[in-house]
Amino acid sequence: MNGPNGPKGRMEPTSPATLVIAALATTALAWIAISNFWNSLPTLPWLPPLTLIGLAIFEGIEAYSTRNRILRKEGAGPLQPLVIARYAVLGKASALVAALFGGMYVGLSTWLLTQRGVLAKVSENLPQALLGVAASIVLIAAALWLERSCRVPPSERDKDVPRQNRQGGNDRAPDDQNA
């Protein structure tokens, strides 16, 4: 079943606007939560930012490998289409989760920086919050790279056919059709 903008149920690339809105909303919520519940919060753990870094490393390696395999570079073996689809979904989901975590850590970091000389526990929590911000940014980059790496390049035949004649008059670029 086709809608006005093409086939329904098709996965679109992650929109940067979606990530920014998610991060900003989470930043505001984190700021409000930490300012209201600071005295009852434990010290921030190191495990979440380290986990984000580990996931970013994994996704970066897989993005590089997947792109080489899709482009059939020398020494890169074949890759099952279902694996590529799973990696695309992983990249899309990871980018959103990283934006949410990043927003939370930005909210925590900015609040902690404003309270630096006032509260004693701030110096115990600030390194974890700043590492969380950095880890989230790295994961967003790796996730978007993984998602982008899963796109199949247009074939030689698609390059020769004018845009208007592709797929029954659909005027979208081939990259848009292979998300």
Side-chain angles (χ1 to χ4, degrees):
M1 183 173 187
N2 289 337
N5 295 328
K8 286 189 176 186
R10 197 178 102 207
M11 188 170 79
E12 297 290 330
T14 301
S15 167
T18 302
L19 300 179
V20 169
I21 290 169
L24 289 175
T26 309
T27 298
L29 291 174
W31 181 284
I32 292 167
I34 196 169
S35 63
N36 287 324
F37 301 109
W38 170 251
N39 292 327
S40 62
L41 292 176
T43 302
L44 291 174
W46 285 98
L47 187 59
L50 295 176
T51 303
L52 293 175
I53 291 171
L55 188 55
I57 291 169
F58 170 77
E59 290 189 24
I61 291 168
E62 289 305 317
Y64 179 77
S65 173
T66 300
R67 193 75 201 144
N68 286 340
R69 294 167 111 182
I70 286 175
L71 295 175
R72 301 181 193 276
K73 293 206 174 173
E74 188 174 327
L79 195 59
Q80 296 294 324
L82 188 56
V83 172
I84 296 170
R86 287 177 180 162
Y87 283 160
V89 170
L90 175 65
K92 192 169 187 67
S94 294
L96 182 58
V97 168
L100 294 172
F101 268 94
M104 179 193 70
Y105 281 119
V106 166
L108 291 172
S109 298
T110 54
W111 189 85
L112 289 170
L113 288 170
T114 63
Q115 303 298 318
R116 202 167 198 184
V118 180
L119 300 172
K121 283 191 336 183
V122 168
S123 61
E124 297 172 16
N125 291 290
L126 192 57
Q128 296 93 311
L130 292 174
L131 181 63
V133 170
S136 297
I137 292 169
V138 171
L139 180 55
I140 288 171
L144 292 176
W145 184 27
L146 179 61
E147 184 182 345
R148 177 82 178 161
S149 295
C150 292
R151 291 183 177 183
V152 178
S155 67
E156 291 300 319
R157 185 193 70 181
D158 288 340
K159 291 178 184 177
D160 295 337
V161 178
R163 287 180 124 184
Q164 294 83 9
N165 295 335
R166 287 190 202 133
Q167 297 198 2
N170 192 347
D171 61 348
R172 280 192 253 168
D175 276 347
D176 294 341
Q177 296 170 0
N178 295 323

